[in-house]
Amino acid sequence: MTHALRPTPALLLVLASALAAPLGCSEATSPEVASPPIPSHFPAPRIPPTNPWTVEKAELGRALFYDTRLSGNGTQSCSSCHPQSRAFTDVLPRAMGSTGEEHPRRSMTLTNVAWNQTYNWANPLVTTLEQQALTPLFGEHPVELGLAGREDELIARLQNEPFYRQRFAAAFPDADAPITLTHITYALASFQRTLVSGSSAFDRFMYEGDTSNFPESARRGMSLFFSERLECFHCHGGFNFSDATDHQGLTTTSAPFHVTGLYNIDGQGAYPAPNTGVHEVTGRPEDMGRFKAPTLRNVAVRAPYMHDGSVADLDAVIDHYAAGGRTIPDGPNAGVGYLNPNLSLFVPGFLITDEEREDLKAFLHSLTDHNFLTNPALGPPADLPPFEPQVGE
C-alpha cells in the first residue's frame, strides 16, 4: 500500500516519539528483554528497548487490532485487511480502505512479522512495527483507516470506554495519561509480535522428526525448492523463508529487494506507477521494480500473489519463475519480463515437469500452520465492546 502522512500537530508528536525509538536492524536489544513465546528453532526477535514486550500490552494491542474504533468512519479494523484465516493478509487482490478507496498494492501477511527487516512491500525506511502502525492509521495516499486529522476523536473514543481505560492503565502503569497515540502504536506492535507461525508440517518434520503429515512428494518438493536449478531458497531461505529477516545476533543488516521480472513495460525495466518498488521511495533508476521477498510460511492460503495481486495461484507463480519473468502480450503493461535489464540473478528460469510441479506445491502447502490460522488467542477478544459510530462520524 502507498503511504503518505499529513503532519497534523498530534501526529507530529507521535511520529517524533516513534522516531525517537531505536530504529533499524543495527539496533541491538538486550537478551533480557521479554518477548512472546517463540518456537525453539526460531532466533529471538529484536524488540525496541523503548517498547518492551508485556502480556498486558499485547492483549491491549489484540483488542485494538480487531476494533473498528480505529477507523475514522467506524467501518474497518486492522483485521479487515489482515484476517487470521488468511494468515493475516487480505482476501482481495488489492486492499480496500475504509472509505472505499482501492489501494495500488496488496496487504502484506503479518505472519512472523516480528522478524521483518523492513515493513511494507518496498520501503527500506520503515524498520519497526511501531513506525509502520502510523501508516494504516493516518496514511492518506491511499486512505486506509482514515484517522488523519481525527486523532483527538480516536483518543476520545477509547477514553469513553471503560474496557480501554482499564487495559491502557494495566499496559502502561507508569503513565499519568496512558491513552495516547504513541501507546496505541506500542500496543499494536506488541500484539503483532505474537503472530508467530512455526508449527507447520514442515516444522514438525524438520525439528521433531514427525513424518505423519510430510509425504514423499513434499520431501521431493523441498529438494527442488532448495536446489540451484530452481533457486527459490536464495530469496526465500532461512527459518522464515525470506531473506528480508532480522533477529538478535544477526550481524549482516542489508535490506534485500529484488526484481522478479513481473513487468518490463518499456524494455528498460519499468514497472507501472505507482508500483515502482523501492524506486518510489528513492527515485533512483536502479531501484525500479525492486520489492521485498515476503515469507512463504502459510503461502498456500494467501492467494493471489505478488505486490499487486496480479498472479492468481501457485501454479501461476511457478509459471512466472519458470519463465524467468512474466510476458504480457498486449495492453498498457505489455512487456517481456525475462528481458528486464534489472532482473535478479536468482530468477534465471527453469524447466519443470508436471510431477515436479506437484511436488513443489506439496512442499509449499506443508508450510501451512493450521494452529496459527485458527488459534483463538490470536483472534478477537470475546469481551471486546461493540462500537457504533455516532451520526456524522
Side-chain angles (χ1 to χ4, degrees):
M1 291 175 272
T2 311
H3 322 291
L5 301 180
R6 187 172 64 188
T8 60
L11 180 55
L12 285 173
L13 284 175
V14 70
L15 184 60
S17 177
L19 292 176
L23 306 178
C25 306
S26 60
E27 293 288 349
T29 53
S30 166
E32 291 78 24
V33 172
S35 73
I38 60 174
S40 60
H41 55 284
F42 278 21
R46 297 186 200 268
I47 296 177
T50 49
N51 185 25
W53 188 88
T54 67
V55 171
E56 290 80 8
K57 271 192 279 189
E59 279 300 296
L60 170 61
R62 177 185 169 206
L64 293 169
F65 185 87
Y66 286 100
D67 198 334
T68 59
R69 287 175 178 82
L70 263 65
S71 60
N73 58 16
T75 60
Q76 284 193 350
S77 68
C78 304
S79 67
S80 299
C81 294
H82 298 279
Q84 181 182 8
S85 62
R86 299 291 295 268
F88 295 93
T89 191
D90 211 338
V91 298
L92 300 173
R94 293 189 293 170
M96 187 77 72
S98 60
T99 58
E101 180 178 2
E102 186 178 52
H103 295 188
R105 286 188 279 280
R106 177 164 174 70
S107 301
M108 295 200 78
T109 180
L110 300 182
T111 299
N112 294 338
V113 72
W115 287 271
N116 280 12
Q117 196 173 89
T118 60
Y119 294 89
N120 306 324
W121 280 101
N123 191 338
L125 304 179
V126 181
T127 57
T128 69
L129 283 165
E130 288 78 2
Q131 275 182 291
Q132 196 282 331
L134 296 171
T135 295
L137 291 170
F138 304 110
E140 294 184 278
H141 304 287
V143 171
E144 298 188 37
L145 294 172
L147 284 165
R150 304 178 74 164
E151 293 85 356
D152 292 342
E153 185 179 334
L154 170 61
I155 297 299
R157 287 178 183 175
L158 299 175
Q159 285 179 330
N160 290 337
E161 178 53 61
F163 174 92
Y164 281 114
R165 291 200 297 272
Q166 297 168 2
R167 280 160 179 75
F168 270 94
F172 302 97
D174 298 328
D176 294 332
I179 302 180
T180 67
L181 296 181
T182 296
H183 288 170
I184 291 171
T185 65
Y186 281 13
L188 286 170
S190 296
F191 169 63
Q192 290 175 86
R193 292 189 172 104
T194 71
L195 302 180
V196 180
S197 175
S199 59
S200 65
F202 163 80
D203 294 291
R204 294 192 296 276
F205 171 72
M206 285 295 294
Y207 303 104
E208 300 173 15
D210 180 357
T211 62
S212 58
N213 290 304
F214 199 73
E216 284 296 330
S217 75
R219 298 186 201 189
R220 293 192 298 268
M222 182 171 67
S223 296
L224 286 167
F225 183 90
F226 287 103
S227 71
E228 292 291 348
R229 175 157 70 94
L230 267 62
E231 306 272 18
C232 312
F233 72 99
H234 287 292
C235 301
H236 293 284
F239 75 97
N240 203 31
F241 292 90
S242 168
D243 62 355
T245 299
D246 186 40
H247 56 79
Q248 291 187 37
L250 190 67
T251 56
T252 56
T253 57
S254 63
F257 298 91
H258 308 280
V259 175
T260 65
L262 196 64
Y263 295 99
N264 183 18
I265 58 178
D266 63 351
Q268 301 301 312
Y271 272 49
N275 287 326
T276 58
V278 178
H279 168 269
E280 185 184 353
V281 177
T282 68
R284 299 187 308 185
E286 60 266 35
D287 288 332
M288 174 62 71
R290 296 178 65 214
F291 287 87
K292 183 168 67 177
T295 176
L296 293 188
R297 288 186 173 275
N298 302 297
V299 68
V301 302
R302 289 167 26 202
Y305 302 102
M306 306 300 184
H307 64 275
D308 56 1
S310 63
V311 178
D313 52 34
L314 288 178
D315 276 311
V317 172
I318 294 171
D319 288 341
H320 164 72
Y321 285 109
R326 180 172 64 178
T327 293
I328 300 177
D330 49 40
N333 295 329
V336 181
Y338 73 80
L339 295 179
N340 187 316
N342 303 319
L343 187 67
S344 168
L345 294 175
F346 299 129
V347 188
F350 51 80
L351 297 175
I352 188 169
T353 68
D354 291 344
E355 182 181 7
E356 288 175 329
R357 175 187 294 266
E358 295 306 311
D359 291 342
L360 183 59
K361 286 162 49 181
F363 173 66
L364 294 174
H365 277 271
S366 80
L367 302 179
T368 301
D369 180 348
H370 294 285
N371 182 61
F372 179 69
L373 304 179
T374 59
N375 183 359
L378 302 180
D383 56 348
L384 182 66
F387 175 61
E388 291 293 335
Q390 301 299 310
V391 174
E393 283 192 303

